[in-house]
Amino acid sequence: MALTLPPLYAILDPDQIKGRAVEEVLGEMLRAGVTMVQLRVKSLAAKEFLALGQHVRQATDAHHCRLIVNDRVDIALACNADGVHLGQDDLPLHVGRKLLGNKIIGISTHDIEQAQRAESGGADYIGFGPMFGTTTKDTGFTARGIGMLQQIRAAVNIPIVAIGGINEQNVAEVWQAGADSAAIISDILGAADVGAKVTRIIQQR
Ligand code: TZP
Ligand code: MG
């Protein structure tokens, strides 16, 4: 069955949380109504990544929130996540599908060709970006912008998660251009009041 994504796809990345416990920030997001969380971990050993994934799974389950694990099919399976998000250099989509069955698989894309390849290969959604300038990740790509997002929208039918430099101020524009969902890291994790930030974003949809 086709996947329906919520307007906000919140990304939980421990490296982007300063001076607070990851668990506490996650709790604020969930209480504010986040229903899809991606766990993005770039600097933990597999054992710690798994332990965090298991904790995040418990907390998200308690709030009926979906959990997607970034990069790692093994960790997604081990913590019973709803799916995985794979980049162009991660395990290929067909291998992820073989291992994950009908769990959710999202694929990062940066142009129309990648987007169409992900769709024809059976991805459940695509990530598309970087939409705007961002310092959270050195993507190696220039900002794609609203015009290119509209072209991607016209080129594929599966849900689109826009990512990169999206914040409370520009999120409405991204939805308007055809993104089903907006993935946000720094604008949420860096907010003084994470719950209030999430609420202000969700309320715009
Ligand atoms: N992929 C493309 S841009 C990006 C990722 C992971 C970073 C998005 O972070 P932010 O802080 O929402 O710009
Ligand atoms: Mg990746």
Side-chain angles (χ1 to χ4, degrees):
M1 209 178 73
L3 177 66
T4 303
L5 294 179
L8 175 61
Y9 179 114
I11 299 186
L12 190 68
D13 179 342
D15 291 341
Q16 305 300 326
I17 297 173
K18 307 287 172 232
R20 301 185 62 200
V22 177
E23 294 79 3
E24 187 185 314
V25 172
L26 174 63
E28 289 175 20
M29 284 180 174
L30 293 170
R31 286 191 294 277
V34 164
T35 58
M36 190 140 195
V37 166
Q38 180 195 105
L39 180 60
R40 178 178 194 261
V41 173
K42 297 290 183 182
S43 61
L44 291 178
K47 196 163 121 180
E48 278 86 41
F49 190 165
L50 174 61
L52 180 60
Q54 287 168 329
H55 171 84
V56 172
R57 176 71 289 181
Q58 279 188 356
T60 49
D61 265 345
H63 283 82
H64 308 288
C65 172
R66 281 180 170 143
L67 171 62
I68 302 293
V69 169
N70 192 35
D71 299 335
R72 296 283 297 266
V73 171
D74 55 345
I75 306 250
L77 281 167
C79 68
N80 197 29
D82 295 287
V84 74
H85 185 90
L86 299 173
Q88 293 289 323
D89 296 328
D90 293 323
L91 286 184
L93 174 53
H94 71 275
V95 175
R97 184 57 74 202
K98 201 167 168 181
L99 295 169
L100 286 174
N102 59 9
K103 282 183 185 275
I104 298 167
I105 303 182
I107 300 290
S108 290
T109 68
H110 311 95
D111 57 37
I112 291 181
E113 198 220 311
Q114 289 178 354
Q116 289 179 328
R117 200 177 333 124
E119 177 169 56
S120 61
D124 296 290
Y125 74 87
I126 54 164
F128 178 73
M131 282 303 303
F132 308 112
T134 177
T135 54
T136 306
K137 176 182 179 177
D138 183 3
T139 65
F141 296 97
T142 54
R144 312 281 87 173
I146 291 293
M148 198 153 166
L149 174 58
Q150 289 168 327
Q151 290 176 30
I152 298 286
R153 178 67 292 164
V156 299
N157 291 309
I158 56 176
I160 300 171
V161 179
I163 186 165
I166 303 176
N167 57 39
E168 184 186 345
Q169 281 72 37
N170 61 25
V171 68
E173 210 186 335
V174 164
W175 290 324
Q176 186 62 37
D180 298 86
S181 192
I184 300 179
I185 304 180
S186 54
D187 193 46
I188 292 177
L189 299 183
D193 184 335
V194 167
K197 172 67 77 174
V198 164
T199 301
R200 289 196 300 273
I201 290 169
I202 292 176
Q203 279 177 349
Q204 292 182 57
R205 189 65 179 140

